Amino acid sequence: MAQPITTTLDPEQQRIAGEALNGTVVDLIDLTLIAKQAHWNVIGPRFRSLHLALDELVTDAREFTDDAAERATAIGVSPDGRARTVADGSGAQGLPAGWQQDVDVVDAITGNIAAIVRRMRQRVDVTDKADPVTQDLLIGITARLEQLHWMWEAQQG
């Protein structure tokens, strides 16, 4: 099929930005799935507060996924959020199957957010010259993920 969406970026700029955006889509879809899995399986004295905090994380991750996918589309890159792509490409750490103690959920979510933030910072760096508009989007997503990381990490104390 011919390229239905065009861009003013040159092909190399488009490639760099597109890879960063698709990587973001993959990581954030996985983070959404991890947080939902934890949401359904968390047990322990902090169940209620974690259950609600996980929903907040899911809402943010879904919104950011859509923002990144729509930016990719705007620059003529087809976003790829298929299950196989997410399974093969995510940088998240995942979550074990089964019931999860509240303290273990806090540790797992903190670790998963940190892993994704590290990859987001790399994407911010590589999009600096290639596409400052994409970089700006990635900076905003990274800032919120870092805030969420702090909030989850503070629960470990």
Side-chain angles (χ1 to χ4, degrees):
M1 169 182 238
Q3 186 70 15
I5 309 297
T6 60
T7 181
T8 58
L9 297 176
D10 70 40
E12 183 63 6
Q13 291 171 313
Q14 182 188 41
R15 181 192 66 75
I16 292 167
E19 286 177 4
L21 290 163
N22 264 322
T24 299
V25 166
V26 164
D27 283 347
L28 292 174
I29 288 172
D30 201 20
L31 182 60
T32 299
L33 296 171
I34 290 164
K36 265 310 195 186
Q37 183 69 19
H39 171 87
W40 298 321
N41 287 284
V42 64
I43 57 174
R46 298 187 322 190
F47 163 80
R48 179 81 173 137
S49 63
L50 292 179
H51 191 76
L52 296 173
L54 288 160
D55 270 343
E56 177 186 9
L57 176 58
V58 166
T59 297
D60 285 348
R62 283 181 176 160
E63 181 179 319
F64 294 148
T65 300
D66 198 48
D67 292 344
E70 288 183 359
R71 176 65 190 156
T73 302
I75 63 168
V77 174
S78 174
D80 189 354
R82 295 172 297 155
R84 173 63 42 105
T85 304
V86 172
D88 291 345
S90 176
Q93 298 171 346
L95 185 77
W99 305 114
Q100 301 295 311
Q101 281 299 138
D102 50 6
V103 294
D104 297 330
V105 167
V106 171
D107 290 345
I109 295 300
T110 302
N112 276 288
I113 295 172
I116 292 171
V117 164
R118 284 189 289 276
R119 288 168 54 109
M120 291 299 297
R121 285 190 159 276
Q122 292 170 349
R123 294 175 186 129
V124 166
D125 288 344
V126 300
T127 55
D128 175 35
K129 299 269 189 273
D131 183 19
V133 175
T134 293
Q135 184 192 42
D136 183 59
L137 174 66
L138 299 178
I139 288 169
I141 293 170
T142 304
R144 176 62 176 150
L145 289 173
E146 287 179 338
Q147 182 185 38
L148 289 165
H149 178 263
W150 151 57
M151 291 177 179
W152 280 90
E153 190 173 45
Q155 296 183 67
Q156 292 175 319

